[in-house]
Amino acid sequence: MDFPKDFTDRIYQMLGEEADSFFESQNQPPAYGLRINPLKFNAPLSAKNLPFTLAPVAWAREGYYAEAKERPGKHPLHEGGAYYIQEPSAMSVASLAAPEPGDIICDLCAAPGGKSTQIAGRLMGKGLLVSNEISPSRAKILSQNIERFGAVNCIVCNEPPDKMARRFPLFFHKIIVDAPCSGEGMFRKDENAKKEWSLKQVAICRERQQMILECADQMLSPGGFIIYSTCTFAPEEDEQIITWFLSAHPDYILEDWKDFLPVNCGLESGMPQFTDTKSSEIAKTLRLWPHKLKGEGHFAARLKKAGTILPPSQESPYGKQQNNRKRTGQNASHKKNRQPEISGYLDFVKQFIILPSDTEEGYSAVKFLSGHNTFQYFGEELYLIPKVTPSLEGLKTMRAGLHLGTRKKNRFEPSHALAMALSKKNCTQCTDCSYETAVRYLHGETIPCSAAFHSWTLVCYQGISLGWGKAQNGILKNHYPKGLRLLNTKPAN
């Protein structure tokens, strides 16, 4: 594999005798991984839940190495959000963030959603995740992945970082900045990244990274954390960025990755010798080298802001003020202090949803449905928004919490997002399909069901929800979204 000379020279400078091993690793097949969705599986998580050859990823409790030839991305369980296909090294970033249920978190450069879905899984439906992506097309993909994962407490925005900073001052407990970078760590997987690389591009990326970090600082609560990461080896975008940020922001300290991730598994410390200060503190940053572990190149650092995190207001602004917000081209206008009319939705819940008992333990999306969250219409689309969400007025919002469904004349139609958040135990009518029937459903075909069923029925495979169908006379009319249907070759079992 040929590399740009400037890149090759720098790698030899950084790695010395190890450089040959590094370049040899670039001729090997890339590692392939998946991450189990704890919102879909009951704890404890186990590789035995999945029909693939798996081995654990040391730095991510949900992560496994998988065999690409087994095509886990072409399986009904993938379409049901039981797991997320993710490069193993990338799993280290959310693990370094150490999300806890109840955290208020922003993933500032979030598409396509790998880190956001990992965070959502750790939050277990509590707290708030705001996932932002500046590119509209990539924000759409991000929103779809959040939906497939069954996350209920996530807001997906499509805004530049500076606008996000103005709208969320000092709001978040933790902010993930997976910064746009020169992509050197992806050279083995992405030929275009190598072709587009140049020293000029590295410099451009560095300027952009500085801007994004300044915005993140404005959004972070005192006592909070920024987790900065890239998929490049360039010190200008890695250690030198951290040195610059600490110098410009003396109210931050660098926390050691070894306090959050396992050692002796191939993870390495950062390289102070490639900074101006050569401070040993920079060794607290994290590097993942492809010749040291099964994964691509990555860099990460955990930055702590001085102060104490203050709890956000538990009172949502929704229903108390006029909101005119945009979602996928639709405007929503609401009168001040007027509660939305949700009788159709409540009738649907009464007939088809099994609400949890007060003593039920563990995660369940229906706890979010029955909790003290806020209903909000966007046009005729009904959403349930986490109670700690601030006003989203004026923001391009692709997804605001959990999309419940559509208000239509004399009826309520449940959304695909609601189906993806539920499970077999949550619905009064559910058909758990065979593999072959699940594939037929995902292709948009009608499938059989119990003759006793009528109207809305949850379609599942091995207890994992795939979507809705509408039952009549033993036949289930397919309501799987047309844009998601598998029109290609049927996946292997």
Side-chain angles (χ1 to χ4, degrees):
M1 183 180 289
D2 295 328
F3 295 94
K5 183 177 185 303
D6 288 331
F7 173 78
T8 301
D9 291 345
R10 195 220 305 131
I11 289 296
Y12 272 103
Q13 182 185 10
M14 294 178 71
L15 294 179
E17 295 179 355
E18 291 184 27
D20 290 338
S21 296
F22 168 85
F23 286 111
E24 182 180 346
S25 75
Q26 297 300 288
N27 293 317
Q28 304 301 315
Y32 185 89
L34 62 81
R35 205 187 62 252
I36 284 179
N37 181 358
L39 305 180
K40 302 273 185 172
F41 283 84
N42 292 322
L45 303 180
S46 173
K48 69 181 181 181
N49 296 117
L50 299 175
F52 310 116
T53 304
L54 303 176
V57 173
W59 48 85
R61 65 184 186 227
E62 319 92 329
Y64 292 90
Y65 294 102
E67 299 290 337
K69 64 184 179 182
E70 294 181 349
R71 297 197 296 168
K74 297 291 185 180
H75 194 280
L77 288 174
H78 177 265
E79 301 309 309
Y83 52 85
Y84 187 98
I85 304 297
Q86 188 176 23
E87 195 280 310
S89 290
M91 301 177 191
S92 63
V93 178
S95 294
L96 186 61
E100 295 287 344
D103 281 347
I104 312 297
I105 300 180
C106 177
D107 189 356
L108 193 52
C109 314
K115 295 169 180 67
S116 281
T117 52
Q118 189 173 0
I119 292 165
R122 299 267 184 117
L123 290 180
M124 298 300 284
K126 298 178 180 179
L128 176 67
L129 171 62
V130 177
S131 298
N132 181 67
E133 172 57 43
I134 191 171
S135 163
S137 60
R138 286 169 56 81
K140 182 178 179 180
I141 295 170
L142 167 65
S143 183
Q144 290 173 344
N145 283 328
I146 291 290
E147 177 178 271
R148 183 171 57 83
F149 214 67
V152 296
N153 58 331
C154 182
I155 310 296
V156 178
C157 297
N158 171 215
E159 295 287 3
D162 59 333
K163 185 170 182 179
M164 294 290 289
R166 291 193 297 271
R167 293 304 308 279
F168 295 97
L170 305 178
F171 180 72
F172 294 102
H173 300 167
K174 297 174 181 177
I175 299 177
I176 312 298
V177 177
D178 186 38
C181 68
S182 57
E184 297 172 3
M186 295 294 109
F187 281 0
R188 178 165 59 175
K189 295 182 63 176
D190 186 352
E191 185 69 21
N192 286 331
K194 187 171 61 172
K195 291 179 180 178
E196 294 171 1
W197 183 91
S198 68
L199 291 178
K200 181 179 179 180
Q201 183 65 19
V202 170
I204 291 172
C205 289
R206 176 187 170 90
E207 291 181 3
R208 186 183 301 126
Q209 292 151 3
Q210 289 176 317
M211 179 274 292
I212 295 172
L213 277 172
E214 291 288 5
C215 294
D217 170 58
Q218 296 170 37
M219 300 166 66
L220 187 67
S221 166
F225 302 87
I226 293 174
I227 293 80
Y228 173 82
S229 68
T230 71
C231 57
T232 191
F233 304 112
E236 297 93 329
E237 302 176 69
D238 294 342
E239 289 92 348
Q240 291 176 25
I241 281 283
I242 300 304
T243 299
W244 161 80
F245 185 82
L246 292 172
S247 175
H249 299 272
D251 55 334
Y252 281 81
I253 62 170
L254 188 59
E255 296 201 316
D256 197 331
W257 69 267
K258 297 186 186 71
D259 294 334
F260 303 92
L261 300 175
V263 297
N264 300 322
C265 61
L267 303 180
E268 296 279 327
S269 294
M271 308 177 79
Q273 63 270 36
F274 290 97
T275 65
D276 291 337
T277 64
K278 297 182 173 51
S279 169
S280 60
E281 281 291 294
I282 297 301
K284 294 179 179 178
T285 62
L286 171 68
R287 273 193 177 270
L288 291 86
W289 292 97
H291 65 294
K292 295 290 188 73
L293 46 74
K294 289 178 61 179
E296 305 308 307
H298 234 79
F299 173 88
R302 181 175 164 118
L303 297 152
K304 185 181 189 305
K305 193 174 191 177
T308 302
I309 291 177
L310 298 177
S313 170
Q314 297 300 301
E315 190 174 28
S316 169
Y318 295 109
K320 300 191 302 175
Q321 61 183 335
Q322 184 172 343
N323 294 293
N324 298 290
R325 293 188 293 277
K326 181 178 180 183
R327 180 186 180 273
T328 59
Q330 296 181 348
N331 291 320
S333 181
H334 307 278
K335 293 183 179 180
K336 187 175 182 179
N337 296 326
R338 182 176 178 181
Q339 295 298 318
E341 199 286 315
I342 59 170
S343 59
Y345 164 73
L346 295 177
D347 289 342
F348 171 84
V349 170
K350 184 177 181 180
Q351 186 173 358
F352 297 107
I353 304 297
I354 302 172
L355 295 177
S357 66
D358 293 337
T359 58
E360 184 176 325
E361 297 181 357
Y363 171 78
S364 174
V366 292
K367 291 183 179 181
F368 184 80
L369 297 181
S370 57
H372 300 290
N373 299 299
T374 306
F375 292 99
Q376 181 73 35
Y377 275 105
F378 294 79
E380 298 303 316
E381 306 300 321
L382 181 62
Y383 280 74
L384 191 59
I385 302 176
K387 60 185 177 181
V388 296
T389 306
S391 172
L392 303 176
E393 184 176 359
L395 287 178
K396 295 177 185 175
T397 306
M398 307 290 288
R399 181 170 300 277
L402 178 59
H403 182 203
L404 298 173
T406 306
R407 176 174 57 184
K408 297 189 175 182
K409 187 177 181 180
N410 300 323
R411 63 188 174 93
F412 174 83
E413 185 169 303
S415 71
H416 182 64
L418 178 58
M420 298 308 289
L422 298 174
S423 66
K424 181 178 180 179
K425 67 178 182 179
N426 302 141
C427 293
T428 58
Q429 293 187 166
C430 175
T431 180
D432 206 341
C433 301
S434 68
Y435 177 86
E436 291 75 15
T437 303
V439 170
R440 286 176 54 197
Y441 172 79
L442 294 170
H443 279 73
E445 300 176 23
T446 58
I447 60 174
C449 67
S450 169
F453 288 173
H454 178 73
S455 193
W456 296 106
T457 301
L458 190 68
V459 180
C460 293
Y461 173 67
Q462 295 188 359
I464 302 296
S465 58
L466 300 178
W468 294 112
K470 211 166 186 181
Q472 186 174 11
N473 300 324
I475 298 296
L476 208 61
K477 182 180 178 181
N478 198 307
H479 279 257
Y480 192 67
K482 292 182 179 180
L484 300 179
R485 291 178 182 178
L486 304 180
L487 303 178
N488 301 322
T489 306
K490 292 185 178 182
N493 195 349

